Amino acid sequence: MTLRKLLLSVIVGATFVACGSSDSAAKETNTKPEMTQVKEGEPIVYTLNSTISPDKQLPTVIDFSATWCGPCRRFAPIFEETAKEYKGKAIFMSVDVDNSPETARQFEVSAIPQVSILMPDGTITSTVGFMDKDQFVDFISKAVK
């Protein structure tokens, strides 16, 4: 019985520590979203929790994914290749739903991979599930000219 209480205390204590450090980290983060682009023409990787606002001129194509998601990993090179082909016609960004839950909530992500297109007027079109290159190009070509 003593071992059970000790184990329960450790679990409860670890939960409070994790929640506490999470809250303090959230307070210290910038309110301005941080975006990184590894190489010119590659999709922007969205790294902080924030809302995404529409660009005034170009549609924004957003890939919602996670590192542990097999279909997401299979879709990533298709997304990157298409982003290079459509450079200047749209903004492409990838959002890791585990690192950016607020952003995922903004786009009502309930399953991944999800691709959402945010139009300059604020309308959003989304699709869920793995797409091959032809399916992806067909999906975005309706919004990206």
Side-chain angles (χ1 to χ4, degrees):
M1 195 65 160
T2 308
L3 182 59
R4 178 183 254 172
K5 287 181 181 178
L6 178 63
L7 185 57
L8 183 59
S9 298
V10 169
I11 291 171
V12 170
T15 303
F16 286 135
V17 169
C19 290
S21 64
S22 170
D23 290 342
S24 63
K27 291 175 188 171
E28 293 174 13
T29 58
N30 298 333
T31 55
K32 185 177 176 185
E34 179 182 313
M35 296 181 215
T36 57
Q37 191 169 24
V38 181
K39 293 179 186 171
E40 182 67 30
E42 288 187 0
I44 294 171
V45 178
Y46 204 81
T47 56
L48 289 182
N49 244 350
S50 185
T51 57
I52 298 174
S53 299
D55 183 83
K56 293 182 187 224
Q57 297 176 337
L58 297 174
T60 303
V61 181
I62 309 160
D63 171 31
F64 291 95
S65 60
T67 56
W68 49 264
C69 169
C72 300
R73 289 194 310 259
R74 285 189 8 237
F75 180 67
I78 294 168
F79 185 79
E80 291 173 13
E81 180 181 331
T82 307
K84 289 176 187 174
E85 292 171 7
Y86 280 79
K87 182 181 176 186
K89 297 179 182 178
I91 298 166
F92 286 78
M93 55 176 64
S94 294
V95 175
D96 185 314
V97 296
D98 292 329
N99 294 333
S100 303
E102 290 296 320
T103 309
R105 250 182 251 118
Q106 175 192 1
F107 287 85
E108 300 176 356
V109 176
S110 60
I112 54 175
Q114 174 175 312
V115 176
S116 296
I117 302 173
L118 176 60
M119 296 302 291
D121 66 2
T123 59
I124 300 170
T125 305
S126 297
T127 187
V128 175
F130 174 81
M131 291 180 279
D132 64 26
K133 174 91 184 256
D134 291 337
Q135 292 168 321
F136 181 49
V137 168
D138 185 52
F139 174 68
I140 65 170
S141 66
K142 294 169 187 155
V144 179
K145 304 296 178 199

